[in-house]
Structures are given as C-alpha cells and as structure tokens.
Amino acid sequence: MTTPDIRLIAVDMDGTLLDPAGRIPDGLWPLLDRLRERGIAFAPASGRQLATLQRSFGEAGRDLDYIAENGAYVVREGVEVSSDALDPAFVRDLILRMRRLVADGALHAGVVVCGKESAYIEDTDPRFLAEVEKYYARLSVVDDVLAQQDQVLKLAIYDHDGGETHTAPALDDLRRTHQVVVSGAHWIDIMNAGVNKGVALRNLQRALGITPAQTVAFGDYLNDLELLQAADWSYAMADAHPDVAAIARHRAPSNAEFGVITTIETLLEFPGRPA
C-alpha cells in the first residue's frame, strides 16, 4: 500500500490521545520527532484552554499547532490563526441566567468564563474547583466574573449531575443562536454559532495550504464530530460515542491501547515502538 500524503494530524485529548489516567503516553514524544522530520504538522484539538495545552506538551510542544476552546482559538507556532469571541451582552445575560438557575436549585452547576488571557470562576465549591483546575492552567478566582476585562471565547458549564441530561436541556433555546456542545459527561460548552473544532481545523488547513485529503483526525466525543468531518482520514476511538463512530471513516484502538500512536505509526509506515 502506498503511504498517504499526510500533512496534518489533529487529535482530541481526553478519551483519545490521553491515557485513562489523563496522561500523554510516553510513545508520543518520539513520534512527534518523526512527524517533524516528515514535515507533518500535529495539532492537539481540545475544549481546553491554550495555556493548558501548551503546559501539557511543554518544550516538545513549542512548535505545535493548537485548536483550543473547542475551536474558538487556533494558534500555529505561537501565532493566532483564528479566534471567535462571544458578544459581551450575551455573556452577561447567560451568567445572570445561570446564577438564577443555580440559586433556585434548578441546576447544580458552576460556570467557567473562558477568556483569551485567562479563565475566570466565582464558584469555589471544592469539587467544582478540582474539576476546573484539571483543564485551566491560567485560572483566576474572582468575586464577579462579569467584572473582568477579557475577550470571552467560550462559556463552559460543569454540571455535577450530568451536563447532557440537565444543563443542555435547560439551555436548549440557545441553540437557535449559539453552539451548545456536550463536551464531556459533565461539561457543556457555549460558543458562537459556527464555532467548532471542524471550522477550526479548516482554518488551520487554509493556513497550511493543505486539503482534507492530507488530514488525519482522531476523536471520541460529541464535540469531535465536526473535527472528523473535516478530515478524509477520520478515526473514531474504539469506545467512542455512537454518533462519533457513525460518521468516522475508520476506527482506532482505544486510548488505553494507545490507539492514536499505533494508528499513526501504521498509517505512515513508521516502525513500531520498542517493546
């Protein structure tokens, strides 16, 4: 089989690249070196903020491309490719609405205001704070999130009882004007209409001058649907959400089996990792 002309690989993080303990597999680091030698760009694509992704990859990620905040912020080698900030009036209205829903007992949830410079929270519930700190390397705990001066790329809501069954239905009316994305078992992301990982990947493809036929994408959850649709070489992880598995052209072993790494090695005919 002829090795395909791959120029870009976009990879979701949680449930996809990261192992079940939330760590980057050791096998990725030599693989990144081989991709650089082959001239293939590597782009982590996540709901996480840019600073968190950069911290995760450290020095090895200095020249990577990043699709952050579920596609609202794209950076290539430290330079912004695209961003899409929410209207401040919408942000204010939704924050006030969430405060009322929580105060009335309709939801058991906390809100993260995801800005370009930092993430902001005013809820200091220990469980909420512990979850937020996993994903936001730049995090400010403030008295009033509405008092902060920053471009807001996304509002992320952590629902203690389950985002898909509680917060998503409560905010269903927002789907008429905005993206309301279930990005995890407890997380709901709200962004501008048309913002998703797929749009971000297409922006990155244009910046690189490459096509979907030269692109590989891996994902496992609902916020990865558009990402996979923007790549001809689309892979759903073995334990992916059924909707993701339905649209992917290929399957990859699970993250517990290092499916991203082994699939890339096979696809590009790289020698396997040492035992």
Side-chain angles (χ1 to χ4, degrees):
M1 183 183 76
T2 303
T3 303
D5 178 26
I6 301 301
R7 297 297 171 187
L8 172 61
I9 300 174
V11 180
D12 171 56
M13 296 287 284
D14 294 281
T16 301
L17 175 63
L18 302 184
D19 68 18
R23 299 170 300 205
I24 294 176
D26 290 339
L28 180 71
W29 309 120
L31 178 59
L32 288 179
D33 290 336
R34 286 179 281 180
L35 292 175
R36 289 186 183 99
E37 292 170 1
R38 189 80 67 89
I40 300 171
F42 186 86
S46 175
R48 301 179 185 220
Q49 73 176 170
L50 176 64
T52 304
L53 292 172
Q54 290 172 327
R55 181 182 66 180
S56 296
F57 286 87
E59 185 62 23
R62 180 171 36 85
D63 60 349
L64 296 185
D65 305 325
Y66 292 98
I67 295 173
E69 306 289 12
N70 268 331
Y73 199 22
V74 182
V75 171
R76 171 164 171 73
E77 298 181 350
V79 178
E80 180 177 319
V81 171
S82 62
S83 63
D84 200 327
L86 290 163
D87 178 68
F90 172 81
V91 172
R92 179 177 180 81
D93 288 346
L94 184 52
I95 293 296
L96 294 175
R97 178 176 175 180
M98 285 299 302
R99 286 174 178 171
R100 289 193 298 270
L101 288 169
V102 171
D104 293 343
L107 291 177
H108 182 202
V111 181
V112 185
V113 177
C114 307
K116 266 191 180 183
E117 301 301 322
S118 178
Y120 307 92
I121 61 171
E122 57 190 24
D123 182 352
T124 57
D125 175 278
R127 181 181 167 190
F128 173 65
L129 190 58
E131 290 298 324
V132 173
E133 287 176 340
K134 293 179 184 178
Y135 303 106
Y136 297 93
R138 290 183 187 164
L139 177 65
S140 301
V141 181
V142 298
D143 293 332
D144 182 1
V145 293
L146 293 177
Q148 309 314 304
Q149 300 297 315
D150 198 350
Q151 292 185 60
V152 178
L153 301 170
K154 182 184 74 179
L155 291 169
I157 299 171
Y158 180 84
D159 190 313
H160 295 264
D161 302 319
E164 190 170 7
T165 55
H166 294 87
T167 294
L171 302 180
D172 190 62
D173 59 294
L174 298 182
R175 295 181 188 275
R176 293 194 296 269
T177 56
H178 291 77
Q179 291 276 351
V180 180
V181 180
V182 180
S183 59
H186 294 274
W187 288 99
I188 300 293
D189 291 341
I190 295 103
M191 301 163 291
N192 280 331
V195 174
N196 56 61
K197 291 183 185 180
V199 170
L201 183 57
R202 294 186 191 281
N203 288 338
L204 188 54
Q205 287 167 340
R206 282 193 290 272
L208 290 166
I210 65 173
T211 68
Q214 296 171 303
T215 306
V216 181
F218 294 87
D220 76 306
Y221 214 71
L222 296 174
N223 61 332
D224 300 321
L225 286 168
E226 294 87 356
L227 181 78
L228 299 190
Q229 290 170 330
D232 283 8
W233 295 88
S234 57
Y235 289 85
M237 308 308 288
D239 49 0
H241 189 288
D243 291 352
V244 177
I247 63 94
R249 298 187 179 188
H250 308 281
R251 298 301 293 271
S254 73
N255 61 327
E257 300 173 281
F258 311 111
V260 168
I261 295 171
T262 58
T263 299
I264 292 172
E265 289 173 342
T266 301
L267 182 65
L268 299 181
E269 298 182 351
F270 285 148
R273 291 172 292 137

